[in-house]
Amino acid sequence: MSDAKTSNPTDIEITEPSSLNEQAAVALVIVGALVAVADRRVSPVERDEVIRFIRDRKLAPHISDERLYATFDELAERLEEPDFANVVIDTLRPVSNLPLSSHLMELSERVAAADEDVHPHEVQAIKLLRLLTLVLPRAKPVVPSAAGAELQVALKE
């Protein structure tokens, strides 16, 4: 990661959110952003659809609209980089144990339809997301080393 990115607290917060709720919100935003950038033009209506979806379902009530919009814009820019797939995977992996897949898929379809023109690349992005939600490795709980060793022994018995 470059010094410019590590020195900006917003980038750190978005790429490494601290709470599970924030990670889930960022996962929803990145799904919407991925579909929005798939056709190479992000429409404001697509961005609005992401925020509306999150608000309507009360999925991130503690995060302001302004912050969600800023997160969307930053992630949409990041998804135009060659390593976009890693960004998506790294964002979805921490929340893979949560029951978010139906929300992620519904949101991706709504964003694709938001500008009333479902582009073939948006369909491909949705297929990629569907595949990722099925095969993404589940997050592993982190436990202190001594307790972790005892837990591992107990789980094996």
Side-chain angles (χ1 to χ4, degrees):
M1 190 181 282
S2 71
D3 288 340
K5 285 203 179 269
T6 56
S7 65
N8 185 341
T10 305
D11 287 340
I12 293 168
E13 194 169 37
I14 289 170
T15 59
E16 300 173 19
S18 58
S19 78
L20 198 55
N21 288 336
E22 286 192 28
Q23 289 173 332
V26 173
L28 288 161
V29 172
I30 202 161
V31 163
L34 178 66
V35 174
V37 301
D39 64 358
R40 294 286 179 214
R41 57 182 174 82
V42 178
S43 166
V45 72
E46 291 171 319
R47 187 176 81 150
D48 291 344
E49 186 60 36
V50 171
I51 308 311
R52 184 179 313 111
F53 182 90
I54 292 170
R55 288 294 173 238
D56 288 351
R57 283 154 186 78
K58 298 176 180 26
L59 296 173
H62 62 290
I63 300 174
S64 71
D65 286 357
E66 293 77 22
R67 186 157 168 227
L68 288 171
Y69 280 119
T71 302
F72 180 95
D73 292 341
E74 289 180 41
L75 289 173
E77 278 185 42
R78 186 69 179 89
L79 291 172
E80 293 178 3
E81 299 295 322
D83 68 336
F84 76 94
N86 291 331
V87 174
V88 174
I89 291 168
D90 291 344
T91 303
L92 294 178
R93 184 176 286 130
V95 297
S96 61
N97 287 337
L98 299 178
L100 280 178
S101 348
S102 63
H103 289 302
L104 296 174
M105 296 318 304
E106 182 182 353
L107 175 59
S108 66
E109 292 166 359
R110 287 180 60 161
V111 170
D115 62 359
E116 299 179 4
D117 178 33
V118 179
H119 190 277
H121 291 150
E122 290 175 323
V123 174
Q124 286 179 328
I126 292 169
K127 288 178 181 179
L128 172 64
L129 289 166
R130 186 168 287 124
L131 179 63
L132 285 174
T133 59
L134 293 174
V135 300
L136 195 64
R138 298 298 178 226
K140 294 180 178 146
V142 177
V143 292
S145 59
E150 292 173 7
L151 180 60
Q152 293 299 325
V153 170
L155 289 174
K156 288 180 181 178
E157 292 177 350

